[in-house]
Each structure stands twice: as C-alpha cells, then as structure tokens.
Amino acid sequence: MDLAYEQIRNEVKQASIRARGESIPRRRSKSPTKPSAAWTAPSRIGSTKGTALSIVLSSIGCAHARGDEGGCTMCSYLLDGVNRNPTAEEFFLQFQTAMSQLEKLDSPLSVKIYTSGSFLDSDEIPQETRNRILRAISVDDRIKEVVLESRPEYVTDTVLADVRRILGDRVVELGIGLESSSDFVRSICINKNFNLDSFRESLLVGKKHNIGTRAYVLLKPPFMTERSALLDAQKTVTDAVSLGVTTISLNPVNVQRNTLVESLWEKGKYRPPWLWSVVEVLRHASFTGASTVNIVCDPVAAGKSRGTHNCGKCDSSFIDAIRTFSLNQDVRVFDSLKCDCWDLWKHVLEHEDASLQVHN
Amino acid sequence: MSLTEFRIGRGHDGPARIGEYIMGTEVYNTPILTAPILSDSQVITYGTIGRVKIHSSNPHFLALPFETHIDNPEKLGIRKTDSILLPCLPSFSSLGYTAGALMLNHQMGVLDDLQSSIESNRIIIRIPEEIELNVFSSSLSDFHSRGVRAAALTFDGLLSDLDYNSFLQRRYLPMSWLVLALGRIAPGTVPLLYYMGFDVIDIGHAQEAAAKHQRLWHNGTESIQSGQPHRYCPCSSCQNLDRLESTQVVDALLDHNVNVYASILSEAQNAMVSGRLRWLVESTTHYSPAHASILRRIDREAYSFIEEFTPTTGASNVPLIGPESYNAPAVRRFREYIAHRYRPPAHKKIALLLPCSARKPYSDSKSHRRFLETIETSLGNATSQIAQIILTSPLGLVPRELERMFPAASYDIPVTGDWDSEETNLAADALVSHMSKFDSNTVIVAHVSGGYLSIVQAAENRISQSIIYTSMETSPTSWESREDLQETLGDLKDILAIKGSKPQELEEIVRATADFQFGPGAGDALVPEDARLGGKPYRQILCRVGKEQVCSYVADTGLLSLTLDGARRLAPLNRYWVHLDAPSVKGGSIFAVGVREADATIRPGDEVIVLNNKGEVTAVGRSEMSGREMCELDRGRAVSVRHKLEGD
C-alpha cells in the first residue's frame, strides 16, 4: 500500500482508538461462567431445515480489538466479553449452559461458536478448552454441522487437523470475517488488518481438511457511499464464490457502541445501509452463487435507526423476506417487496455517490 | 488544446458574478444549476463515472469514485467535454484537520495520475470540510499552479456548522475558479449561495423531495398526499397532479421542483444585475431561523470578503428593512468610511443635528427644505459656519456634504419612529466618533425628537461639546420647533460672534467626497486653497486648479470623476492605483490580464488611477471589479477608461 493510503489508514486507526476510548477497561463485569449470548433459530443445515444454536462465549475478546490497532471501525462485540480471561473450567461451564438449549431438540442441529473474537486463537481460548468443547460436540450425534469463528491468522494446519480429528465427519465451517474482497476497503474503511491473501490461505488450509469457509461479507462500512458499499459487497460476493467459500453470510453494518461508526453516526456522517441494498446484494449473491453456496443474512437491529433500515413503513416485510430467503434460498420472495421509498433509495444511490453529501 | 474554460463577465453584487462555463462546444451561462437528471440548457448533468449511463451528448460533471484508476478515459465513457470531480472518501475529512489535509493530498496524487489523459482545467477538486487554513491555502495554490480552475464545496442543507463552514471556505478559493455547491440545497438557500459567489448549484434535492412526495417552494416544502387539498401552482407540471398515478406524481413533482429552483436562480441573477441581490438575500432570513442565523454569522465572519466585491455605487433604491440590513456591507462600509475617512471642515462653530427624511437626497425633502430655510433666516451669510449632520438608521449619520453618496442617496427604510437598541447604539457610536473630530468649542444643536433624540442622549456622556436641544417636546418640523431652532441659532450667532463669510458649500462637498472616495488627504490634494469651483451641488461641480480641471462632482452619483491632472495630484497618496504592464492604455478598457498589480482597497465601481509600467499616471477610469480580482483573474474587464494619455 502506498504512503498516502498508509497515512489515511493510520488516521482511521487513530479515530477508531479515540472512538473506543476507555470503553474496554470499563466493560461491565460479567459472570465468567455464562456465555455472552446463546440462542437457537431455524436454520438451513445442508439441504434440509433444522435448528442452529449460536453461542457467543464470553472471553477477553478479539486480540485485534483489544490491542493498540484500534479494532474494526464498526465492531465493539468485545464489550460483551469479560476483563479477565475465564479459566478452562469457566469456559466449559459457559458452553454447557448454552448447550442446554438443545436438550429436547431433534436432529439435524447446527452449533455455531463465536467468541466476539477468534475461537481458534489459543491466547483467547486455550487449546485444551477448545478441544474439550469440540469433544463435547463430537459425542452428540444430532449435531451435523459446526461453525467456528476465527480471524485468518489463527487458522493453521495443526489447529484444523485437531478440529477435523475431533469432529469426525461432520460438516465443519470456518467463519471468517472477510468483510470485503478489496484490501483497500478492508484495511482503510474497516481497519481489519488482514489482506485477501491471508483469507485465501485460510480457505485453502480449510479445504485440505475438508473444512468449508463461511465468509462474512460486510455491507456498508464507513467512508463509503451507499452505492460504493453496495457495489463493493456485490463484488465481494462474486470474489468469495470464485475463491470457493461454502457459505456467504451478509452482515449489514449496525451501529455499535464505542465504535468509529457510532461517532460518525452521531454526527450525521453515517447511515446504516438501506434494506433495499441488502436485498440487492442477496439477489446478486443468489444469482452468482446459486446452488453452490449457501447465502444467509440475519441483520442485527434491522428496522431500527442503528441497523439496516428503509423508511419505517416497509421494514418488517423486508426483514421477513430476508429471513425467509436465508432459509429457503429462493429469491422470488423479494419480488413482492414494494414501497414508495424505492425512489428515495434510488436518489440516494445516485446523488450521494456524486455529491458525497451523506444522506441520512 | 483545452476546451474547458470559465469566463467571468461584468457585474457584481457582493461576490456574486455572472460568467460562461465553456465545455467543448457548449457554453453554459453561470450561475447554473446541476442535477443528476437529463440535462437541458438550464442544468448541467452530473453522475458517477462507470455508474451512470450517459444518454445525452451534452457535457457532464463526472465524479471519479475513490480507488478508480483511469488509464483510458474514453473507455470509461469520459468525453473530452466532461469535467471531472476528484475523489474523496465521504465523511472522512470530518475526522479532523489531518484527515482533511490527506484528502487534498490524495486528490493531488490523482491529479498527477490523470495529467497525461485529462487536462487539469477540466478537473474539479473537492474541498474537505475540516482543513487548517495554511494547509488549505498552500494546496489551493499548488492546484492553481497545476492548472486546476474549479472546486466543489459540500452542503447538508441544515444551514448549521457544515454549511456555514463551506460558506466561509469559499472565501479562500481563487476568484478565477468556478465554484460548485454540492449536496442538499433547499431553494431558499440559492440566493445566499449565489450572493457568496457560487457559480454552480446542485439541485439534487429536487429529486429527493419528489421521492418523498414533497413539493418545494421558495420558502419551504409542501407534502402532497393524494386526495388531500394542496396549494395552487400555475406551473404546467402541476396541472394534473390530482389525476396522476403515484409513479407519475413523483415525475411531476420533480418537474415542479426543478422549475422552482430555475425560477429562484433567475430571480437572484436578475437581482444581482439590478443591484438588489443583497435585499433578496435579506428577505430569505424570514424563511426560517436557520436562514436568519446563518446570514448573521456570515455577515459577522465574512464581512470583509463580501464587502470586497460589493460595488461602491448601486441601485437607485436600496431597501434596508430589518436588523439583517444593519451590517449589510454597503451600510457598514458607509459607517466605517464616515468614521475613518471623513474630516469636518475646520472652524465650524455649530454642529446641527437633524433627523433624516424619507425622500432622498434629504435636501430635496419638504422637511429639510424647511430646516434649510430656518438656518438661512437665522444665520444669513454666516450659514457656512454651521455643520449639518443628519442622523439616520442604519447608516448612523450622514454629513450634509455627502448626502448624495451611495447608499445615503438611495436607501429606503420603514419609518415608524421606533428604533431598536442595536440601531440606536450604532448611531450613537457614530455620533460620538463624529463629534470627536470637531473642536471642543463647537456647540451642538440637536434639532431632533423621539428616537433621534434617544441617540443623542445615548451619546451625550461621551461627547465633549455642549448640546442644546431645540425639539425635545415637539416634532422638529413643527412650527414651534423651528421657531425654537431659529431663535437658538440667532442667539448662538451673537454669543459665538459668528461673522458672515463667503459660502464654502462647493469646496466642502468636493473635499468631503474626495476624502470619502480616496481616503484621508484626498480632499486637500484635489481642492487646495487656490482651487476654483463652479456649478451646482444638485447637478455638477467642476474643480479647477490653475488652468487645469482636476475633477468634477456628479450629483447623480454623489461621486467625483478625476481628470488625469487630478489623478496626478492623488497619486502620491498611493491608493486606488492600478499598475499596468504596458507603457500606455489602448482602447477604452483595461483587461485584468494586463494588470500587473492593483490596490487591494479597490472595489467595483471605484474611480481608479491607472499607472503605466514606469509608474506614471496614464489613465483614469472606473473599476469593473475589485483589486483582488484584477490581480487574480486572467481575463475580464478591469477598468473602463475615462481619460487617458494620448500618444506613445
């Protein structure tokens, strides 16, 4: 990256650090034996419908966000974590607490393990703990699919060999926040600090162990117009499909506490993406990755001012359609979506893009 | 060879100007609107390179997205006639000064990359919202030296800090540049934008409002709901509004909204030509408190920028209606010139304070004719020993000698006799400063009542001379007051032993006008002791020294016209000079391109002294632009020549 971009990136990093402020040392103290969150939802598992359990383990949080790099411009998930890293025993208790939600459910089940950081980072989740959790999953025959979230730098041959060995022949996916296939967008607008090559490497290591990759694609990081963001997400989907990802999970930005995005949003300098744009990206994804890649989207804070939203009148029908699509992969569900605010969205795409005046 | 050029035409009212923006074979008259819609001659279309289909052969403003590389412009659909907006990251410069500097820096880099394929006069830079002044100025001159001649500033339509900041930033752009206002701009802000020197105005908001089913008006919006009654509109787009399908409604509203912008811009341009743009801008302050406060903030902070381009002559009728007029540049400048340039004639024994009159010049009014009769009756041939000072709002005060000067001869205020405290204070301060220039033995006769009386009373403690009130109880025009005035003046004549002397009126008018026009010392230089004057104050006064005429006073404008001889007398004062590169003047005009340097105090409409390349007076004339523009512009008429040295 040339010097000018490096300076711009540094400015974003400094602004991210400022936005984070003292929020991390001042996180509310939480029980180290309870997960940050755990919920079940109907989900597409392979080609059938089942239930997915999402577990967010409470850890000290993402190393990138904890460190002096400022973390990602839109993310403060680590604020849900704890200030002292839980012990092996405590982590396992968190996991068990979450797993109890699966007690009476039938196969097929899917378990997704998030940490607001990287499950495969041994500094965050010690190796023994990780393997103990995986072993607990491996003895449950109902669980057909496992998703493990990590930044690419922790995806190594040894770790994946462990994972594959323990989980046997289950479907396993690595959830990696690719966010954008553009290194410019990922490093400058998001401050994510890894490049496309490391994503590609992780994906290849995964393939070697028959582990798929679930690419999280971010819609509308800061410092982009609605249209640039839309085009970038579409291109990212195309690139991710051709790299060979197994699932694309589209994440429209939501405004999280103590982030650079929040400080821009408060000044009227940022608006979360329109639901129209979300649908547009999903249509494109379906067209591009049809039948080879699973496409899902579970927008956070959708319909609210901090999340992806339209005019307010049509938001719930859009959110329903997006949920339905994520389950059945059928884009026709979007055909019935209509609202007067379409004209306004079209105007924003055009006008904001040329004038660079933020439309919020 | 480059096809793109911005040519500025004649005329000013504040920084507003007219011009031509040439894009290939198309010539667009500025001010002009720009929008992301199909263009007609009223609008220049804009869009983003690679993201819009270009349907029309007309030139466009094309925005370059961040991180787009241009190797082959034609492949991207860029025609030779299009102008290119350089890329910025949206919102990025709001992070602070460093971020702003980085955005200018980035554009500089893009400019370097483009230089081989796109001429820099087709480039439009985007001004970041936060930028430190020194960095801003130095990068502007970098861009200028590379041939960039256009810049865009962003507005969010809230008329709060972002918009205010963009208005202030406009001051620093070279005057020769085309200046664009992009973003959300309501119709009611168009006059102010034009006034502040924006040449291209984005009306994308017409589309935004239409999409929200809003009809725009000059002073607000109206929500259009089907089945609900709406305002009458004569425009053709609105004729069938009730019978249209929802999708057609949006199109009809868009047409209407665009029409509103076009009509307001045309109104503003017309007002500029007739010298009433300031008035139009002031009238927008009633659209919303935000409109009022932004003009007040701009007047306070950007006064010197606006004043610099405000002509020293103007319309024959200047309405000054409310507080927003108190600091209008022509008004504040008048007060400041009176305070800093006017010097009363020596040895005035009496200073008579009079109220203003609705009719201008004052001496043409019935009330002032009566005052003058009363003075004449009581003082006879000693009338020249009295200084007449007319109190008024918002000019503060007008010495009788300058009553035909712009805008004293043409301002028009609502006369109710009520003064607010701001205008009372303005006038009281002016009076204090004015009286400090008189001998302390001068006696002040205050022939005023009501609000005028309050001015004198507010100033009284700060005035060293003694004051006699002759109209405290009754109207100054009443018979009783005038009796009182006549008696007082008669008594003073005896007490102060005022002797008759020959009338000095002509000398005083020419001297005061010279000082007002050219600054202190000019009166003495043009009207020395041995000057001979002839003529009528209400028509023309000629001033001769020896055999040479040095200047003439023209009552219609209240201004002096210089002869070459007069110019030579003023030249040592080192003011109002225009220095040429050439040995002499050819033709009736001097163009900015031929000006080496010009006095920065020159305003449009000023009488100026033209010096040749050896520094000798070679012509006199009337400035058509300000001194700054004479230096910065590469073309356009700088001076209309009145007299020049023949020969050479």
Side-chain angles (χ1 to χ4, degrees):
Chain A
M1 194 180 301
D2 71 12
L3 178 67
Y5 279 178
E6 195 47 52
Q7 287 173 326
I8 294 175
R9 200 193 73 80
N10 185 52
E11 196 58 23
V12 171
K13 175 177 131 183
Q14 297 307 327
S16 263
I17 293 172
R18 284 199 298 276
R20 228 158 267 284
E22 293 299 302
S23 63
I24 300 171
R26 289 192 187 155
R27 299 188 262 205
R28 267 178 294 152
S29 58
K30 285 187 204 75
S31 163
T33 57
K34 289 203 181 108
S36 293
W39 68 93
T40 58
S43 174
R44 196 175 169 84
I45 297 170
S47 52
T48 55
K49 282 179 198 171
T51 307
L53 169 68
S54 301
I55 307 173
V56 182
L57 293 176
S58 191
S59 72
I60 50 170
C62 174
H64 172 55
R66 270 186 346 251
D68 51 13
E69 285 299 310
C72 296
T73 54
M74 71 297 177
C75 175
S76 66
Y77 277 131
L78 88 161
L79 295 184
D80 297 332
V82 287
N83 281 328
R84 162 184 76 77
N85 215 20
T87 62
E89 194 53 37
E90 287 167 340
F91 266 129
F92 196 70
L93 278 170
Q94 291 188 24
F95 172 72
Q96 283 182 314
T97 313
M99 287 293 280
S100 63
Q101 297 194 24
L102 291 180
E103 261 165 30
K104 287 178 185 139
L105 296 175
D106 296 327
S107 184
L109 299 177
S110 164
V111 174
K112 302 172 183 166
I113 306 183
Y114 307 104
T115 70
S116 308
S118 294
F119 183 69
L120 302 185
D121 174 6
S122 312
D123 287 343
E124 199 184 329
I125 311 284
Q127 189 192 341
E128 307 149 56
T129 315
R130 183 172 71 225
N131 289 347
R132 191 174 168 197
I133 289 173
L134 294 176
R135 276 196 297 275
I137 292 173
S138 73
V139 297
D140 190 332
D141 287 337
R142 296 172 302 163
I143 302 173
K144 303 293 181 201
E145 182 192 83
V146 180
V147 179
L148 305 173
E149 188 186 37
S150 180
R151 284 176 60 92
E153 55 262 42
Y154 310 113
V155 177
T156 61
D157 199 46
T158 1
V159 171
L160 292 200
D162 274 358
V163 170
R164 179 44 80 201
R165 185 171 42 77
I166 300 172
L167 292 179
D169 58 0
R170 285 178 177 76
V171 172
V172 183
E173 267 188 343
L174 292 171
I176 303 180
L178 169 62
E179 320 301 2
S180 168
S181 58
S182 151
D183 282 339
F184 174 83
V185 171
R186 194 178 334 89
S187 59
I188 288 182
C189 302
I190 307 177
N191 191 38
K192 183 101 186 182
N193 258 13
F194 70 74
N195 56 29
L196 187 61
D197 288 338
S198 15
F199 177 82
R200 190 185 288 117
E201 273 167 41
S202 299
L203 185 133
L204 292 176
V205 178
K207 273 197 175 156
K208 191 175 152 196
H209 296 280
N210 193 26
I211 291 176
T213 299
R214 166 182 290 239
Y216 293 100
V217 174
L218 193 70
L219 176 59
K220 205 172 177 189
F223 310 124
M224 297 184 88
T225 62
E226 185 82 12
R227 176 141 68 184
S228 291
L230 170 58
L231 294 172
D232 180 67
Q234 290 180 331
K235 178 165 191 308
T236 300
V237 167
T238 308
D239 292 342
V241 169
S242 59
L243 281 172
V245 302
T246 44
T247 301
I248 284 172
S249 174
L250 179 65
N251 289 337
V253 166
N254 64 92
V255 179
Q256 302 183 5
R257 284 175 299 138
N258 298 105
T259 57
L260 178 53
V261 162
E262 187 187 48
S263 71
L264 292 168
W265 176 74
E266 281 170 343
K267 285 189 281 181
K269 302 285 179 195
Y270 179 80
R271 183 207 190 275
W274 287 72
L275 285 159
W276 285 110
S277 302
V278 175
V279 167
E280 202 65 17
V281 178
L282 293 176
R283 277 182 198 274
H284 170 85
S286 168
F287 178 73
T288 314
S291 74
T292 59
V293 177
N294 213 20
I295 299 152
V296 296
C297 178
D298 181 16
V300 178
K304 306 212 169 73
S305 63
R306 278 179 179 262
T308 170
H309 63 275
N310 275 356
C311 63
K313 279 184 274 179
C314 59
D315 295 40
S316 55
S317 61
F318 274 71
I319 298 163
D320 290 347
I322 290 166
R323 297 246 152 85
T324 309
F325 170 79
S326 298
L327 282 177
N328 66 15
Q329 304 288 292
D330 186 352
V331 277
R332 283 173 300 181
V333 69
F334 298 134
D335 292 348
S336 59
L337 296 173
K338 275 197 181 62
C339 185
D340 277 354
C341 70
W342 185 85
D343 287 311
L344 191 55
W345 173 68
K346 291 299 273 186
H347 165 75
V348 170
L349 289 182
E350 212 165 35
H351 185 248
E352 186 181 64
D353 210 36
S355 71
L356 302 189
Q357 174 239 328
V358 179
H359 285 247
N360 49 11
Chain B
M1 199 197 78
S2 91
L3 301 161
T4 306
E5 190 177 1
F6 180 45
R7 297 180 176 173
I8 296 168
R10 279 174 84 183
H12 256 310
D13 192 356
R17 68 270 182 96
I18 53 169
E20 288 175 337
Y21 190 54
I22 299 159
M23 302 170 90
T25 52
E26 294 292 323
V27 178
Y28 292 100
N29 291 316
T30 68
I32 191 163
L33 305 172
T34 184
I37 48 177
L38 277 185
S39 73
D40 53 37
S41 59
Q42 305 275 315
V43 176
I44 300 177
T45 309
Y46 64 73
T48 308
I49 294 169
R51 299 180 185 177
V52 283
K53 284 212 180 71
I54 294 171
H55 300 286
S56 132
S57 62
N58 288 339
H60 285 34
F61 292 127
L62 290 178
L64 187 60
F66 214 88
E67 267 247 300
T68 306
H69 297 287
I70 295 190
D71 302 321
N72 182 353
E74 274 164 45
K75 222 166 145 190
L76 284 166
I78 304 173
R79 290 89 42 100
K80 289 225 169 294
T81 53
D82 296 324
S83 289
I84 308 297
L85 280 152
L86 292 188
C88 255
L89 287 175
S91 304
F92 182 75
S93 69
S94 73
L95 295 180
Y97 283 168
T98 316
L102 288 172
M103 284 298 102
L104 282 178
N105 212 15
H106 174 76
Q107 294 181 67
M108 192 69 83
V110 176
L111 181 68
D112 286 342
D113 291 347
L114 291 181
Q115 215 131 37
S116 57
S117 48
I118 293 176
E119 303 84 356
S120 37
N121 52 9
R122 291 165 60 197
I123 295 291
I124 304 164
I125 60 164
R126 296 184 192 262
I127 307 300
E129 67 180 271
E130 297 263 358
I131 181 83
E132 203 243 326
L133 186 53
N134 288 332
V135 177
F136 189 28
S137 308
S138 76
S139 44
L140 284 177
S141 58
D142 276 1
F143 280 114
H144 190 81
S145 65
R146 290 173 195 219
V148 172
R149 291 292 179 272
L153 292 142
T154 313
F155 291 80
D156 67 9
L158 302 175
L159 300 182
S160 61
D161 289 348
L162 176 77
D163 291 355
Y164 174 59
N165 191 44
S166 292
F167 275 116
L168 296 188
Q169 284 181 330
R170 192 266 167 265
R171 297 179 289 177
Y172 304 111
L173 299 176
M175 292 313 292
S176 56
W177 286 25
L178 180 82
V179 185
L180 292 81
L182 297 184
R184 184 183 288 126
I185 291 157
T189 313
V190 169
L192 179 59
L193 280 167
Y194 180 46
Y195 181 56
M196 287 297 284
F198 287 86
D199 306 296
V200 179
I201 296 171
D202 181 0
I203 58 165
H205 181 55
Q207 206 175 44
E208 182 179 35
K212 292 176 170 174
H213 284 234
Q214 286 172 345
R215 198 154 59 162
L216 296 174
W217 296 92
H218 68 288
N219 60 355
T221 60
E222 179 195 7
S223 173
I224 302 291
Q225 318 257 3
S226 64
Q228 300 288 314
H230 47 74
R231 280 168 69 172
Y232 170 72
C233 177
C235 88
S236 58
S237 327
C238 290
Q239 292 320 299
N240 298 312
L241 213 47
D242 291 322
R243 272 164 278 153
L244 296 176
E245 297 284 317
S246 172
T247 51
Q248 295 172 305
V249 168
V250 174
D251 289 341
L253 293 178
L254 175 60
D255 279 349
H256 166 95
N257 292 346
V258 170
N259 286 341
V260 167
Y261 281 100
S263 134
I264 287 177
L265 187 68
S266 139
E267 183 185 16
Q269 193 183 331
N270 180 268
M272 191 284 270
V273 172
S274 61
R276 288 163 65 96
L277 181 58
R278 172 74 200 190
W279 163 79
L280 181 66
V281 169
E282 288 179 4
S283 74
T284 68
T285 60
H286 282 235
Y287 294 173
S288 76
H291 278 94
S293 55
I294 200 160
L295 182 63
R296 277 181 218 172
R297 292 172 81 188
I298 287 172
D299 275 344
R300 196 160 49 224
E301 198 58 35
Y303 166 75
S304 54
F305 172 69
I306 306 173
E307 188 274 329
E308 192 168 4
F309 305 100
T310 299
T312 40
T313 55
S316 55
N317 180 283
V318 179
L320 303 174
I321 293 172
E324 56 281 356
S325 300
Y326 299 168
N327 290 304
V331 171
R332 181 169 155 191
R333 174 169 62 203
F334 185 88
R335 287 197 304 264
E336 289 179 356
Y337 278 15
I338 293 291
H340 301 128
R341 295 184 167 192
Y342 175 82
R343 204 173 39 118
H347 314 306
K348 293 283 183 183
K349 300 281 197 306
I350 301 172
L352 174 62
L353 308 183
L354 294 169
C356 64
S357 61
R359 180 160 182 169
K360 313 286 177 328
Y362 307 122
S363 46
D364 285 0
S365 72
K366 209 167 167 186
S367 58
H368 277 249
R369 284 207 304 271
R370 284 182 175 157
F371 298 146
L372 291 166
E373 269 167 35
T374 308
I375 297 166
E376 188 77 36
T377 315
S378 45
L379 296 179
N381 63 358
T383 303
S384 63
Q385 300 297 320
I386 193 167
Q388 297 178 40
I389 299 156
I390 295 101
L391 301 182
T392 187
S393 175
L395 297 180
L397 60 83
V398 180
R400 175 71 77 197
E401 307 93 285
L402 295 176
E403 68 174 356
R404 290 170 200 276
M405 179 71 72
F406 176 82
S410 49
Y411 73 101
D412 191 6
I413 53 174
V415 184
T416 58
D418 302 318
W419 294 54
D420 68 30
S421 61
E422 188 182 355
E423 52 188 340
T424 301
N425 290 337
L426 283 174
D429 290 347
L431 183 59
V432 170
S433 134
H434 200 65
M435 292 320 299
S436 70
K437 299 175 188 171
F438 283 81
D439 192 281
S440 58
N441 294 322
T442 306
V443 175
I444 300 173
V445 176
H447 189 65
V448 290
S449 67
Y452 302 95
L453 183 61
S454 315
I455 294 167
V456 184
Q457 287 168 335
E460 201 173 38
N461 285 338
R462 292 177 284 157
I463 289 175
S464 60
Q465 293 91 348
S466 42
I467 304 175
I468 301 171
Y469 294 92
T470 53
S471 181
M472 281 179 98
E473 308 296 331
T474 48
S475 154
T477 48
S478 69
W479 185 82
E480 294 92 329
S481 303
R482 281 184 289 125
E483 272 300 274
D484 198 357
L485 176 62
Q486 188 173 331
E487 242 171 70
T488 306
L489 292 178
D491 290 350
L492 282 174
K493 186 182 176 189
D494 294 342
I495 297 164
L496 301 174
I498 299 174
K499 303 213 166 50
S501 60
K502 75 178 173 72
Q504 294 287 319
E505 194 186 11
L506 302 185
E507 286 84 344
E508 287 174 5
I509 288 176
V510 176
R511 278 211 180 99
T513 307
D515 282 345
F516 190 95
Q517 249 181 284
F518 304 106
D524 287 344
L526 285 179
V527 194
E529 288 299 321
D530 59 345
R532 288 177 301 118
L533 293 103
K536 300 283 182 209
Y538 51 84
R539 194 167 295 145
Q540 194 183 32
I541 303 169
L542 294 182
C543 177
R544 288 191 182 80
V545 180
K547 284 182 181 163
E548 297 292 336
Q549 183 184 323
V550 295
C551 65
S552 65
Y553 168 84
V554 182
D556 274 351
T557 58
L559 293 172
L560 299 184
S561 299
L562 295 174
T563 63
L564 288 171
D565 212 49
R568 276 183 215 106
R569 291 179 162 271
L570 286 183
L573 295 176
N574 204 22
R575 286 191 290 256
Y576 292 92
W577 47 267
V578 175
H579 205 145
L580 301 187
D581 275 328
S584 65
V585 173
K586 300 198 167 53
S589 304
I590 291 165
F591 293 95
V593 67
V595 175
R596 182 189 296 172
E597 221 188 330
D599 183 2
T601 57
I602 295 173
R603 305 289 174 256
D606 275 336
E607 188 79 4
V608 295
I609 299 161
V610 182
L611 307 174
N612 66 9
N613 55 358
K614 292 186 204 123
E616 303 152 348
V617 172
T618 188
V620 290
R622 182 180 187 270
S623 65
E624 298 286 352
M625 51 176 71
S626 68
R628 173 176 164 187
E629 288 169 297
M630 292 181 192
C631 300
E632 288 184 15
L633 299 190
D634 301 326
R635 49 186 310 133
R637 189 192 303 212
V639 180
S640 294
V641 175
R642 194 190 312 284
H643 304 292
K644 60 179 175 177
L645 264 186
E646 300 297 338
D648 292 326

